[in-house]
């Protein structure tokens, strides 16, 4: 069953126990979701470690918002940790407005899907109105749970899987492999991070890109044609799918005309194995926070400013561009929500790792003991004189 974590203030416990928990119990008995709140902990348990465990394991987080909630440091810490998981791992963060509070001033909250209708305070409803609203919340949780299961079961079709593993001209370049796959030799390059209006730039491992840029909507990665930026974006597609996001990949050959969700539906059909009964457009519309768009060679796509306007509903967009793409000029209006990186040349250590992966594909090395592998690798490296490019 999917797991729900309830974040709440103890001052609102009466509402939680009397009004909310019975509904969560029904979902549990129906085999749809299980739930956790801190009063379930044993008296002899390690309180914060156990809460931390459930916080990190949940698929859905429900935050009961109130003035008490916003006055609680513990609640705010839970909220921030859960929102981080939403950004990085794709969990569902669902606020419920229990009573009057300044949630509209909370920028971290007001872009999230509310469970209660129109974010209306539950405490001001009559008993009959509250019963109806709790039933509505239950139905929404059932629908969200079905969507989570559907998204988890999604798989790329064979043609798109092949595209993600395609090494282009290098795919037949290894003597021990009929077809060389990207996963055989991929190395995460280092990225240089450009900070707007700041003279100092940072460096990060590209594997940590999403953690480093979790608060930016637009991510631009620049590099020349042999820098490996296409390989990197393909790798990100696989990582995002693993975290139950819905990555959709666009190139300069795609036409971006028409209604946004018609475009996304068409792209979804191109990339995923789908069932005839699946309402793709509804799945995308209801789960737009799970959608991440990836544009390869964004600078070659026409009408980029129009596209940026059209995809305003999407929470994360990743674009590769060439080295001369003038971000400051081309997309000045989105600089506040954008970050730019460039791919650095492989370091000596990264080159060594690349050579090692390449060599280990040889049958005579792959079947050797670890010590023999090292000796054979060193021997072959001395003879291995090629110009390395990051795939």
């Amino acid at each position: 069953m999917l797991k729900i974590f309830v974040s709440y203030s103890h001052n609102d416990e009466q509402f939680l126990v009397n009004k909310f928990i019975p509904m969560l119990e029904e979902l549990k008995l129906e085999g749809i979701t299980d739930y956790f709140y801190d009063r379930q902990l044993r008296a002899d348990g390690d309180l914060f470690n156990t809460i931390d465990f459930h916080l990190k394991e949940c698929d859905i987080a429900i935050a009961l918002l109130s003035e008490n909630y916003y006055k609680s440091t513990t609640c705010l810490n839970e909220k921030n940790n859960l929102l981080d998981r939403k950004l990085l791992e794709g969990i569902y963060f669902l606020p419920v407005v229990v009573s009057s509070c300044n949630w509209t001033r909370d920028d971290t909250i007001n872009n999230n899907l509310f469970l209660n209708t129109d974010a209306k305070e539950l405490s001001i409803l009559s008993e009959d109105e509250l019963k109806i609203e709790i039933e509505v919340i239950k139905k929404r949780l059932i629908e969200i749970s079905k969507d989570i299961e559907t998204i988890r079961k999604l798989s790329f079709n064979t043609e798109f899987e092949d595209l993600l593993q395609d090494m282009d001209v290098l795919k037949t370049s290894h003597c021990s492999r009929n077809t060389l796959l990207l996963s055989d030799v991929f190395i995460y390059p280092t990225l240089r991070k450009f900070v707007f209006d700041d003279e100092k730039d940072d460096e990060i491992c590209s594997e940590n890109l999403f953690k480093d840029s979790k608060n930016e909507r637009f991510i631009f990665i620049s590099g020349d044609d042999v820098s490996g930026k296409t390989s990197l974006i393909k790798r990100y597609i696989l990582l995002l799918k693993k975290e139950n996001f819905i990555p959709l990949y666009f190139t300069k050959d795609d036409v971006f005309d028409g209604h946004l969700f018609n475009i996304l539906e068409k792209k979804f059909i191109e990339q995923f194995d789908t069932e005839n009964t699946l309402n793709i457009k509804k799945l995308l519309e209801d789960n737009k926070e799970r959608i991440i768009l990836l544009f390869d060679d964004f600078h070659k796509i026409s009408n980029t400013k129009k596209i940026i306007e059209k995809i305003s509903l999407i929470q994360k967009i990743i674009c590769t561009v060439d080295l001369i793409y003038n971000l400051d000029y081309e997309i000045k209006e989105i600089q506040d929500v954008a970050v730019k990186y460039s791919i650095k040349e492989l370091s000596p250590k990264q080159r060594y790792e690349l050579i090692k992966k390449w060599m280990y594909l040889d049958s005579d090395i792959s079947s050797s003991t670890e010590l023999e592998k090292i000796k054979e690798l060193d021997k072959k490296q001395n003879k291995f004189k090629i110009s390395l490019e990051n795939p």
Side-chain angles (χ1 to χ4, degrees), residues 43 46 64 76 97 165 181 285 297 315 334 337 375:
D46 187 333
L64 302 185
L76 295 179
V97 182
Q165 292 288 356
L181 303 178
E285 289 176 340
D297 286 335
Q315 298 299 307
I334 62 168
V337 291
K375 289 180 179 179

Side-chain angles (χ1 to χ4, degrees), residues 229-240:
K229 60 182 186 289
T230 295
S231 294
L232 183 58
I233 207 168
K234 288 179 178 179
R235 196 68 175 182
Y236 287 151
I237 291 170
L238 294 172
L239 286 178
L240 291 167

Side-chain angles (χ1 to χ4, degrees), residues 184-224:
D184 290 332
V185 292
F186 182 81
I187 295 290
Y188 280 102
T190 299
L191 298 178
R192 179 189 177 195
K193 180 180 180 180
F194 295 90
V195 182
F196 291 114
D197 301 322
D198 195 333
E199 294 181 359
K200 183 181 178 181
D201 296 327
D202 298 322
E203 290 185 0
I204 67 162
C205 174
S206 53
E207 191 172 8
N208 299 325
L209 174 73
F210 298 107
K211 185 175 182 179
D212 186 75
S213 61
K214 64 182 180 182
N215 295 318
E216 276 80 29
R217 286 188 60 233
F218 288 87
I219 302 171
F220 290 86
I221 303 171
S222 64
D224 58 33

Side-chain angles (χ1 to χ4, degrees), residues 44-98:
D44 60 347
D46 187 333
L47 177 66
F48 291 102
N49 281 341
T50 309
I51 288 177
D52 189 55
F53 171 80
H54 287 282
L55 187 148
K56 291 178 179 178
E57 290 294 310
C58 70
D59 307 292
I60 299 170
I62 297 176
L64 302 185
L65 303 184
S66 66
E67 187 176 350
N68 296 320
Y69 190 91
Y70 278 102
K71 288 180 178 179
S72 168
T73 301
T74 300
C75 290
L76 295 179
N77 287 337
E78 285 179 358
K79 174 176 74 77
N80 291 334
N81 288 332
L82 291 166
L83 285 169
D84 278 350
R85 286 201 61 216
K86 174 194 168 186
L87 293 171
L88 298 174
E89 301 173 40
I91 72 163
Y92 285 68
F93 181 84
L94 307 169
V96 175
V97 182
V98 174

Side-chain angles (χ1 to χ4, degrees), residues 299-335:
H299 57 286
K300 295 181 181 179
I301 298 175
S302 59
N303 297 321
T304 54
K305 290 187 177 181
K306 184 178 179 181
I307 290 175
I308 287 173
E309 292 176 3
K310 184 170 289 190
I311 60 178
S312 60
L313 291 175
I314 306 302
Q315 298 299 307
K316 184 77 75 175
I317 299 97
I318 305 171
C319 307
T320 64
V321 294
D322 63 12
L323 290 171
I324 62 172
Y325 185 75
N326 190 337
L327 188 66
D328 296 349
Y329 173 76
E330 295 286 351
I331 54 170
K332 187 175 181 180
E333 64 275 12
I334 62 168
Q335 280 191 14

Side-chain angles (χ1 to χ4, degrees), residues 8 22 27 39 50 56 77 143 150-151 238 296 307 348 374:
Y8 74 105
L27 291 173
R39 295 303 192 196
T50 309
K56 291 178 179 178
N77 287 337
E143 289 300 316
T150 297
I151 292 170
L238 294 172
D296 200 9
I307 290 175
I374 294 172

